[in-house]
C-alpha cells in the first residue's frame, strides 16, 4: 500500500495544482499503518520529493511522515535542519513539531543536536516552547553560550509542571472550577473534577519526591497535595468543608495564579 501512495505522491508533484490533494495523500500515509511499512527506498524517495514541493507546510508533512516511521533510523541532520527552518517560518503546528522532534530523538539524532540547533534557530521563543513541551532535560554537554538558554528552558519546564499540578488541584478543591470545568475556557488538562480525582497521583510523600527534588513545589505544598490524595483514596466523599480547608491552606489568601506561576525558593 505504501508504494501505491508514494507513487501517487510522485504523480501529484508533477502536476501544477496538487497542493490540497497531495496534503491529503500525505495525511493518509502519515496516519495509517502504511507508514510503518516504509523502508529505505521509500524514505529516499520521499526525501527527494521535498525540493520539488513549493508549499512549506507540505515539505514539513513529508519530513514528519519519514521521521515518525518506526523503521526510520539516521543520524544525518539534513532533515532536522530543514524541519527547524520550516518550524521557524511558522509552517508547523506546535503539537506536530513536538511529536516530530521526539521522533528525531529516537531515530538517531541526539537530544544534544536537537537542543543546540533549536537554541540557535531564529525564533527563540518557539524553540523554548518546543523544548519545554518535549520535557527532556538530558541534553548532554552544551556550549557555554547556550547555558543561559538551557537554564531558562529548565525553569520553564518546572513552571509548566507546577502549573499542571496546581491547576488540577484547583479543579478538584474549588467548587466553581469543579462545577464549570466542562464549559470553561481555561485549559486545565481534565474535562471534569471526577476525571482529575481518578488520576490524582500524589498519595504518599514518596510520590512528591520528584517535585521536591526539582523545587517544583515546596514541602508545605507537597504535604497538602498528599493530604488530598489520602482523602481521595480513603473512599470518603470529598465535602466542601474539606476542600475549602485545603484550598485556604494551600493558597493562604493569595491569588491562585500568582501561586501557580511562582516557583518555591
Amino acid at each position: 500500500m505504501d508504494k501505491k501512495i508514494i507513487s501517487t505522491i510522485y504523480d501529484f508533484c508533477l502536476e501544477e495544482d496538487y497542493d490540497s490533494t497531495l496534503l491529503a495523500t500525505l495525511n493518509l500515509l502519515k496516519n495509517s499503518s502504511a507508514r510503518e511499512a516504509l523502508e529505505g527506498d521509500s524514505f529516499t524517495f520521499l526525501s527527494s520529493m521535498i525540493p520539488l514541493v513549493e508549499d512549506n507546510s507540505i515539505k514539513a508533512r513529508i519530513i514528519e511522515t519519514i521521521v515518525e516511521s518506526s523503521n526510520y533510523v539516521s543520524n544525518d541532520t539534513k532533515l532536522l535542519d530543514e524541519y527547524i527552518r520550516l518550524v521557524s517560518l511558522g509552517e508547523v503546528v506546535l503539537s506536530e513539531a513536538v511529536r516530530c522532534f521526539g521522533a528525531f530523538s529516537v531515530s538517531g539524532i541526539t537530544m544534544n543536536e536537537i537542543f543546540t540547533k533549536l537554541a540557535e534557530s531564529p525564533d527563540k521563543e518557539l524553540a523554548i516552547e518546543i523544548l519545554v513541551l518535549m520535557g527532556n532535560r538530558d541534553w548532554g554537554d552544551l556550549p557555554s553560550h547556550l547555558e543561559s538558554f538551557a537554564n531558562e528552558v529548565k525553569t520553564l519546564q518546572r513552571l509548566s509542571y507546577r502549573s499542571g499540578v496546581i491547576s488540577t488541584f484547583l479543579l478538584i478543591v474549588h467548587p466553581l472550577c469543579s462545577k464549570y470545568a466542562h464549559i470553561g475556557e481555561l485549559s486545565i488538562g481534565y474535562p471534569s473534577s471526577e476525571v482529575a480525582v481518578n488520576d490524582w497521583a500524589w498519595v504518599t510523600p514518596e510520590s512528591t519526591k520528584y517535585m521536591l527534588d526539582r523545587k517544583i513545589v515546596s514541602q508545605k505544598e507537597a504535604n497538602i497535595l498528599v493530604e488530598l490524595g489520602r482523602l481521595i483514596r480513603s473512599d470518603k466523599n470529598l465535602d466542601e468543608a474539606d476542600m475549602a480547608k485545603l484550598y485556604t491552606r494551600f493558597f493562604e489568601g493569595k491569588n491562585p495564579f500568582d501561586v501557580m506561576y511562582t516557583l518555591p525558593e
Side-chain angles (χ1 to χ4, degrees):
M1 180 178 179
D2 62 304
K3 291 182 179 179
K4 291 182 179 179
I5 296 176
I6 290 175
S7 176
T8 303
I9 291 172
Y10 178 76
D11 291 340
F12 286 140
C13 284
L14 299 180
E15 298 178 10
E16 291 185 5
D17 184 19
Y18 58 79
D19 285 1
S20 61
T21 312
L22 175 55
L23 185 59
T25 306
L26 283 167
N27 284 335
L28 173 62
L29 177 58
K30 183 173 183 286
N31 298 311
S32 74
S33 58
R35 185 184 67 185
E36 302 310 315
L38 294 175
E39 50 191 19
D41 290 344
S42 302
F43 297 137
T44 301
F45 183 81
L46 284 171
S47 296
S48 72
M49 293 295 99
I50 296 172
L52 302 179
V53 175
E54 294 183 2
D55 189 303
N56 283 329
S57 64
I58 295 179
K59 290 177 186 282
R61 188 54 54 92
I62 293 174
I63 294 173
E64 290 165 359
T65 302
I66 294 170
V67 176
E68 292 173 22
S69 170
S70 60
N71 294 324
Y72 178 74
V73 178
S74 175
N75 58 8
D76 190 327
T77 63
K78 289 180 182 177
L79 286 182
L80 176 63
D81 292 337
E82 175 65 3
Y83 193 68
I84 289 177
R85 184 186 74 83
L86 296 169
V87 168
S88 297
L89 291 174
E91 299 291 348
V92 183
V93 176
L94 180 61
S95 59
E96 297 288 341
V98 172
R99 184 168 68 178
C100 188
F101 283 118
F104 270 115
S105 72
V106 297
S107 69
I109 305 294
T110 67
M111 273 306 303
N112 181 278
E113 290 173 304
I114 293 171
F115 181 94
T116 301
K117 288 178 179 293
L118 277 172
E120 294 176 342
S121 65
D123 193 335
K124 295 293 188 292
E125 287 189 11
L126 181 58
I128 288 173
E129 192 170 2
I130 290 169
L131 289 165
V132 167
L133 291 174
M134 287 182 72
N136 194 299
R137 295 168 59 93
D138 185 11
W139 305 313
D141 294 329
L142 299 172
S144 58
H145 71 278
L146 293 181
E147 286 182 6
S148 176
F149 182 87
N151 288 334
E152 183 176 1
V153 172
K154 288 179 180 178
T155 297
L156 293 177
Q157 284 178 334
R158 290 165 59 212
L159 271 175
S160 176
Y161 199 110
R162 177 178 174 83
S163 66
V165 173
I166 295 179
S167 63
T168 304
F169 176 81
L170 197 58
L171 174 61
I172 295 172
V173 303
H174 195 290
L176 294 181
C177 284
S178 176
K179 183 176 181 180
Y180 296 116
H182 63 295
I183 60 167
E185 292 294 328
L186 286 176
S187 178
I188 293 180
Y190 292 95
S192 69
S193 60
E194 289 80 7
V195 178
V197 164
N198 290 335
D199 200 39
W200 189 256
W202 301 281
V203 182
T204 66
E206 290 75 20
S207 64
T208 61
K209 186 176 185 302
Y210 175 90
M211 296 189 292
L212 287 169
D213 288 347
R214 288 159 181 77
K215 295 185 177 180
I216 293 170
V217 297
S218 68
Q219 185 64 63
K220 184 210 78 172
E221 291 169 338
N223 292 342
I224 296 172
L225 297 177
V226 170
E227 187 173 340
L228 173 59
R230 287 174 175 167
L231 283 173
I232 290 172
R233 297 295 181 264
S234 69
D235 292 328
K236 174 187 174 184
N237 290 329
L238 301 176
D239 58 39
E240 289 189 14
D242 290 329
M243 299 301 96
K245 288 177 183 177
L246 291 175
Y247 178 91
T248 300
R249 287 170 52 205
F250 195 95
F251 294 109
E252 297 180 324
K254 300 173 185 174
N255 184 313
F257 291 100
D258 288 339
V259 174
M260 188 182 300
Y261 293 109
T262 302
L263 289 166
E265 297 294 332

